[in-house]
Amino acid sequence: MNPDLAARLQSRIHALGHSDVDITEMKILTGGASRQMWKVTTTGSGDWQTFILRMDHPSDPQPQANAREAEVLIAAHAAGVPCPAVLDYSSDAEVLGTPFLILAFVEGQTIARKILRDDEFAVARTRLPAQLGRAIGLIHQVDPTGLDLEDLQDPVGSLVADYDELGFDRPALLLGLRELERRRPEPAPRRTLVHGDFRLGNLMVDQDGLAAVLDWEIPHFGDPFGDLGYVCMRAWRFGGPGRVAGVGDEADFLAAYEAETGFRPSPEQLTWWEAKATAQWGVGCLKQMQRSVPGHANELELLAIGRRTAEQEYDLLNLLYPEVEPAPYEPPDTRVGTAGSAEAPGATLFSEPSAEVLLAALESYLDTDLIHGTGEPNRFKARVAKNALSLLRRERTFGPNADRWYAEQLSKLGARSERELTERVRGLPDTSAADPQIRALVAVFKTASRLRLEVSNPKYLQEPAAAAAKNRTAVTNS
């Protein structure tokens, strides 16, 4: 328990008129790259007996976002959306040290791998597709009047602007954004409140299925099909074989959604919004990485998320250009006369963040959390550190040859660096696969994304169905 925080929270509870409620335990919850989460137990009753305190990180306070989330949660709860009740909130850092929400406690599980694999959730998995469709439908029925929401008129244009503001050179990601612009589908029949981050990890699930929709940090007003595509993207299936959150196909999901709203997306619309969500998370990974600053409680985790951009590039290219085969990869130093080939400037595949930056953050984690014990040591952060070490080991072994191959491919494409190739993609008049130039670019980008994944997350290269079959075989043989 943090004594100072406990004392300030105790004073806040008493000031709200609950003078008989005293804190007996505060337990910090794992995860939470963007927020701190505490489970608080007290001597009170009802909602105040056990509740969740959600706080902005001191190094990254977001007062306006905190107030917006509270107001949207209040409106959604009143409209019957399964979500936690808001017991208290404040964006005044003087109260607890940083903006906060106090939410009613909802029993259940949020860890995706447990929901997708543990026997206790077997029944829940059969119910979840329809439950998720209904929950999203209820969200899209919430009256947005009076809510402080961004009006997202141009979802792709805003992503391109976000990408440009980042200042990174990821030509594959930019090509995907350009192709999304070219393929814009018809919008949904009406615009609604959109949750913006509807996925496993942000959903509380119990043995009966969906218990609550959590993490209302990026709601907006826009096309409701965005939420449907988002929960279908591969990153949020967490290795599960089902298109909808890894648990099932879209039939029951869309039927339940249509029962609440009166409309549903076409297959082409759903795929476009899935691809848009994939590009959005690709940009989001880079934005999360940029939020990492020395001293941030989750500095290493935020940095490591930057390397996940490769997963989204891999998926995005496969969604938009399924007919294009990857370029063949042969390590340069296994071919005659290529051992001394030089890398082109800026041609490294392994950046955002660099190995040096990851090593510095790893050193900081060890020093702060483990040696001096002033951070938040837990198994989740230790697992992040272990994964970062494994990534760095693979990069040291595999990276030099992959970089030389990439430099050769850039040279064949007539570019000396990713910066030059990015500018070329930006100026393309057409991004369809009908153009041989685009097919050549996509072929190289597909292989480059695979090489990045060989270092950052080789398991991601397993197809979900194949991975599930392997897991079942392992269980059978054990």
Side-chain angles (χ1 to χ4, degrees), residues 28 31-36 56-60 291-302 361 364-365 368-369 374-378 380-381 384:
I28 195 163
S34 58
R35 298 292 190 271
Q36 292 178 322
D56 286 357
H57 283 294
S59 61
D60 190 21
R291 291 182 57 239
S292 177
V293 294
H296 194 293
N298 290 315
E299 178 187 2
L300 181 60
E301 181 187 358
L302 289 170
S364 176
Y365 159 73
T368 302
D369 285 50
T374 56
E376 303 164 9
N378 55 58
F380 175 80
K381 293 178 74 172
V384 171

Side-chain angles (χ1 to χ4, degrees), residues 352-414:
E352 288 97 42
S354 68
E356 290 76 13
V357 171
L358 278 173
L359 280 170
L362 182 59
E363 182 180 29
S364 176
Y365 159 73
L366 293 171
D367 183 61
T368 302
D369 285 50
L370 300 186
I371 296 174
H372 291 98
T374 56
E376 303 164 9
N378 55 58
R379 293 181 66 183
F380 175 80
K381 293 178 74 172
R383 188 157 52 246
V384 171
K386 178 180 180 295
N387 288 340
L389 274 175
S390 297
L391 180 156
L392 291 167
R393 175 179 52 77
R394 288 190 296 267
E395 181 173 331
R396 182 184 179 190
T397 302
F398 183 75
N401 281 338
D403 276 345
R404 282 193 286 270
W405 175 88
Y406 192 46
E408 289 182 3
Q409 298 306 308
L410 290 183
S411 179
K412 290 177 182 178
L413 292 170

Side-chain angles (χ1 to χ4, degrees), residues 124-409:
R125 287 193 287 271
T126 66
R127 298 174 178 173
L128 274 172
Q131 291 174 337
L132 298 182
R134 179 175 183 272
I136 296 177
L138 289 171
I139 292 170
H140 296 167
Q141 300 290 83
V142 173
D143 183 359
T145 304
L147 298 177
D148 179 20
L149 298 173
E150 176 189 3
D151 189 348
L152 192 58
Q153 294 282 348
D154 184 358
V156 181
S158 66
L159 274 183
V160 173
D162 285 347
Y163 171 87
D164 289 340
E165 187 177 345
L166 287 168
F168 297 122
D169 296 311
R170 301 295 292 235
L173 183 56
L174 180 60
L175 180 65
L177 290 169
R178 293 287 317 280
E179 180 66 359
L180 284 169
E181 286 183 306
R182 190 186 72 82
R183 294 194 193 185
R184 291 175 187 271
E186 287 295 315
R190 58 184 174 84
R191 305 175 80 245
T192 70
L193 167 69
V194 178
H195 181 276
D197 200 11
F198 193 99
R199 60 177 177 84
L200 287 186
N202 290 341
L203 305 173
M204 186 68 73
V205 175
D206 60 23
Q207 293 180 356
D208 294 320
L210 180 65
V213 181
L214 310 175
D215 293 320
W216 297 68
E217 296 178 27
I218 50 175
H220 59 271
F221 187 68
D223 194 308
F225 291 164
D227 277 337
L228 302 179
Y230 197 83
V231 76
C232 286
M233 63 183 283
R234 183 183 169 189
W236 306 139
R237 300 174 200 164
F238 295 95
R243 185 181 187 186
V244 180
V247 295
D249 63 28
E250 60 267 33
D252 291 343
F253 172 68
L254 293 179
Y257 177 79
E258 186 175 21
E260 293 295 332
T261 63
F263 56 83
R264 68 161 75 189
S266 68
E268 293 76 19
Q269 286 172 313
L270 185 61
T271 296
W272 187 90
W273 282 102
E274 180 185 344
K276 182 265 174 185
T278 302
Q280 177 182 334
W281 182 225
V283 173
C285 288
L286 296 172
K287 291 174 72 174
Q288 287 280 71
M289 181 195 70
Q290 281 196 331
R291 291 182 57 239
S292 177
V293 294
H296 194 293
N298 290 315
E299 178 187 2
L300 181 60
E301 181 187 358
L302 289 170
L303 285 173
I305 288 172
R307 289 294 187 101
R308 294 194 60 188
T309 308
E311 298 171 15
Q312 314 324 311
E313 291 172 333
Y314 177 81
D315 290 340
L316 184 61
L317 294 169
N318 285 329
L319 282 166
L320 296 178
Y321 301 99
E323 70 277 26
V324 178
E325 291 295 322
Y329 172 71
E330 184 180 356
D333 69 353
T334 66
R335 306 198 309 266
V336 176
T338 62
S341 61
E343 295 179 20
T348 180
L349 284 163
F350 309 106
S351 56
E352 288 97 42
S354 68
E356 290 76 13
V357 171
L358 278 173
L359 280 170
L362 182 59
E363 182 180 29
S364 176
Y365 159 73
L366 293 171
D367 183 61
T368 302
D369 285 50
L370 300 186
I371 296 174
H372 291 98
T374 56
E376 303 164 9
N378 55 58
R379 293 181 66 183
F380 175 80
K381 293 178 74 172
R383 188 157 52 246
V384 171
K386 178 180 180 295
N387 288 340
L389 274 175
S390 297
L391 180 156
L392 291 167
R393 175 179 52 77
R394 288 190 296 267
E395 181 173 331
R396 182 184 179 190
T397 302
F398 183 75
N401 281 338
D403 276 345
R404 282 193 286 270
W405 175 88
Y406 192 46
E408 289 182 3
Q409 298 306 308

